[in-house]
């Protein structure tokens, strides 16, 4: 569609209330229909956000991801997460403050540091596999959630087996379970107080305080730990980290970043894994190729294609700052949120997009940084992407080595839950014989 200089992008002329229903009841179908009708940049309006702009084309997404950190703010777009994550969370900060925090948090997520976590991931997979029943069907999603939480507890928090790890895990689940089940309602309640009851808010705040008490105790212990320098968990590295002015993270900053890593890192990866098995168990061709080959490249392609075909997060947000933002010939006013649509790009930019075809990532012209965007992009790209990809590869490989799973239901349906796109029935599977 031709863009007219300086105007707002086109969009459906429907009242916000009607659009809100469309977003709640059939978001996929509504967004696709609007994209077909209005093009690659579309203005929407709902009761939650009176005006926002979705982007579906990789070249235009590139303009958004490459914009300077002072022009587009992601922290503002993530503000709804503040009650859980805390206002010093990297996800909520912008500009200089965000860059400082990001530099402090980046080192543990790279190279040698990261490969130290592979064994932990394999052990967590073994534990999950050993807990599965034989001969009766079960739901994979909760098992994957336990697995990824276990990985975070050990790699991020540095816990060994023991009562403290079990107690913190229990408190975290008590805080997050009600929020993730009813995230829309509860977060809106917490942010505006308009939709929730006082009781819901109070009970959440009590549970958060129980988590915080334990985390602050752990921070105090860790600051005193004699073996801090030798430990390879992310918590200890963050305690030791110093910025360019030699400043360490405060207790509050540490708390917020630890909770952020936990929240950002475990449900997302568990969902990615559940989808990987759902797709594999319904695709004998890909499954056979993966089982028969001893090929890390194909495994990597399977993981990437999973996140392409079933992106866990449907889109990311950036709010325009300072002056109107020029986007593909349109002008987006200050204060308006631009949403690169991950789901939209993963559909439009791929031939035969409904097919599960890992080979896409092995062909001569594989998808690039702006075509494959399950982890967002630019200075806000997911810090845990290499961690998540390694965890998915390790767990898929281990399950294939040890277990024979079969699908116990048709391919699962995509359901939007909070900010993630989960398998509606949690992926029903069956294990026919005991694992090796
Ligand atoms: C399959 C699993 C995962 C998916 C799909 C995912 C996706 C995302 C997305 C879409 C963003 C926002 C990016 C943007 O705004 O451009 C993000 C940010 C982030 N993710 Fe992940 N993530 C995953 C796993 C993880 C893991 C394992 C961790 C850490 C242990 C993690 C930590 C973070 C952090 C700290 C940010 C904020 C980055 C910033 O604002 O600078 N994520 N993730």
């Amino acid at each position: 569609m031709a863009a007219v200089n300086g105007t707002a992008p086109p969009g459906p002329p429907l009242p916000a209330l009607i659009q809100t229903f469309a977003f709640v009841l059939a978001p996929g179908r509504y967004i696709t229909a609007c994209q077909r009708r209005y093009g690659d940049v579309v203005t929407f309006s709902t009761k939650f956000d009176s005006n926002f702009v979705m982007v579906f084309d990789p070249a235009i997404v590139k303009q958004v991801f490459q914009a300077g950190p002072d022009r587009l703010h992601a922290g503002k777009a993530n503000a709804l997460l503040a009650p859980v994550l805390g206002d010093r969370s990297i996800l909520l900060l912008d500009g200089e403050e965000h860059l400082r925090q990001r530099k402090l948090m980046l080192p543990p997520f790279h190279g040698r540091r990261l490969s130290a976590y592979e064994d932990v991931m394999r052990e967590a997979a073994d534990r999950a596999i050993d807990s599965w029943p034989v001969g009766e069907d079960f739901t994979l999603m909760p098992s994957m959630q336990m697995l990824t939480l276990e990985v975070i507890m050990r790699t991020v928090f540095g816990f060994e087996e023991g009562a403290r790890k079990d107690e913190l895990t229990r408190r975290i689940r008590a805080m997050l379970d009600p929020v993730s089940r009813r995230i829309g309602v509860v977060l809106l309640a917490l942010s505006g107080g308009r939709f929730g009851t006082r009781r819901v808010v109070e009970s959440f705040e009590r549970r958060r305080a129980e988590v915080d008490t334990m985390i602050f105790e752990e921070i105090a212990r860790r600051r005193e730990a004699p073996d801090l320098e030798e430990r390879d968990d992310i918590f200890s590295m963050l305690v030791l980290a110093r910025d360019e002015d030699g400043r360490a993270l405060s207790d509050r900053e540490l708390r917020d970043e630890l909770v952020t890593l936990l929240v950002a890192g475990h449900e997302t990866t568990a969902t990615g894994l559940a989808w990987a098995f759902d797709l594999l168990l319904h695709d004998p061709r890909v499954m056979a190729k993966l089982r028969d080959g001893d090929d890390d490249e194909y495994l990597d392609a399977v993981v990437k294609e999973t996140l392409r075909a079933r992106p866990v997060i449907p889109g990311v947000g950036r709010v325009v700052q300072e002056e109107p933002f020029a986007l593909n010939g349109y002008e987006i006013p200050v204060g308006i949120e631009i949403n690169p649509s991950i789901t939209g790009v993963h559909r439009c930019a791929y031939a035969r997009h409904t097919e599960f075809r890992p080979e896409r990532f092995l062909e001569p012209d594989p998808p690039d940084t702006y075509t494959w965007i399950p982890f967002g992009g630019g200075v806000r790209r997911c810090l845990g992407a290499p961690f998540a990809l390694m965890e998915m590869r390790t767990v898929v490989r281990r399950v294939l080595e040890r277990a024979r799973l079969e699908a116990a239901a048709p391919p699962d349906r995509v359901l939007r839950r909070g900010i993630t796109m989960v398998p509606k029935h949690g992926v029903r599977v069956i294990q026919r014989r005991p694992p090796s």
Side-chain angles (χ1 to χ4, degrees), residues 109-139:
F109 286 98
H110 281 279
R112 195 179 53 77
R113 296 279 199 190
L114 194 59
S115 49
Y117 303 142
E118 199 173 336
D119 289 346
V120 174
M121 293 165 177
R122 193 174 320 102
E123 279 168 36
D126 278 338
R127 218 183 254 242
I129 295 167
D130 291 331
S131 75
W132 293 341
V134 178
E136 55 187 271
D137 60 335
F138 67 100
T139 309

Side-chain angles (χ1 to χ4, degrees), residues 132-381:
W132 293 341
V134 178
E136 55 187 271
D137 60 335
F138 67 100
T139 309
L140 210 47
M141 187 68 192
S143 175
M144 291 298 134
Q145 283 165 325
M146 279 189 32
L147 186 164
T148 56
L149 185 53
E150 161 96 21
V151 169
I152 294 275
M153 281 306 197
R154 293 188 53 195
T155 59
V156 173
F157 284 84
F159 278 120
E160 295 303 325
E161 287 316 304
R164 291 191 69 78
K165 175 182 148 247
D166 294 344
E167 179 57 19
L168 184 57
T169 306
R170 191 192 63 72
R171 291 189 192 189
I172 283 165
R173 289 243 67 110
M175 173 178 84
L176 292 181
D177 280 351
V179 182
S180 56
R181 264 202 305 277
R182 302 163 56 189
I183 199 159
V185 176
V186 176
L187 289 185
L188 282 171
L190 291 165
S191 63
R194 279 192 299 151
F195 291 86
T197 62
R198 193 67 220 139
R199 201 172 50 77
V200 174
V201 176
E202 277 169 6
S203 118
F204 169 76
E205 283 172 352
R206 200 175 50 249
R207 289 174 168 166
R208 183 183 54 194
E210 284 170 7
V211 169
D212 286 359
T213 306
M214 253 194 109
I215 293 185
F216 284 123
E217 278 170 22
E218 248 350 279
I219 293 175
R221 288 156 71 114
R222 203 59 67 91
R223 288 200 191 279
E224 298 302 318
D227 62 345
L228 198 57
E229 308 263 352
E230 288 91 62
R231 297 179 64 105
D232 56 14
D233 58 88
I234 294 173
F235 189 165
S236 303
M237 288 183 230
L238 291 179
V239 169
L240 288 170
R242 298 288 178 274
D243 66 13
E244 282 150 7
D245 303 324
R247 274 182 308 157
L249 291 165
S250 67
D251 284 6
R252 167 56 57 187
E253 285 172 327
L254 273 171
R255 177 269 171 214
D256 289 358
E257 300 317 358
L258 288 168
V259 174
T260 299
L261 292 175
L262 191 133
V263 171
H266 99 276
E267 294 275 345
T268 45
T269 316
T271 306
L273 276 165
W275 280 126
F277 289 109
D278 192 51
L279 290 165
L280 281 169
L281 296 175
H282 288 97
D283 199 316
R285 181 191 74 85
V286 176
M287 183 59 118
K289 200 164 165 184
L290 188 58
R291 255 188 212 292
D292 297 344
D294 181 21
D295 182 353
D296 280 356
E297 272 195 353
Y298 196 66
L299 174 62
D300 186 56
V302 164
V303 166
K304 287 185 173 146
E305 174 68 346
T306 297
L307 295 172
R308 199 275 312 161
R310 297 285 183 278
V312 176
I313 312 253
V316 294
R318 303 287 188 266
V319 179
V320 177
Q321 305 296 306
E322 290 176 358
E323 57 183 54
F325 186 76
L327 185 69
N328 204 41
Y330 296 115
E331 195 158 279
I332 317 296
V334 174
I336 296 293
E337 185 171 321
I338 304 176
N339 290 121
S341 167
I342 298 175
T343 328
V345 169
H346 286 190
R347 207 172 33 224
C348 308
Y350 290 78
R352 294 183 292 162
H353 67 86
T354 54
E355 282 176 30
F356 180 53
R357 212 168 58 79
E359 288 75 8
R360 299 176 201 276
F361 290 85
L362 301 171
E363 286 163 358
D365 189 17
D368 69 13
T369 329
Y370 302 102
T371 309
W372 185 71
I373 52 167
F375 296 106
V379 286
R380 305 304 296 232
R381 186 172 190 266

Side-chain angles (χ1 to χ4, degrees), residues 68-80:
D70 294 327
R71 294 305 324 285
L72 299 179
H73 279 184
K76 293 209 170 53
N78 297 332
L80 273 180

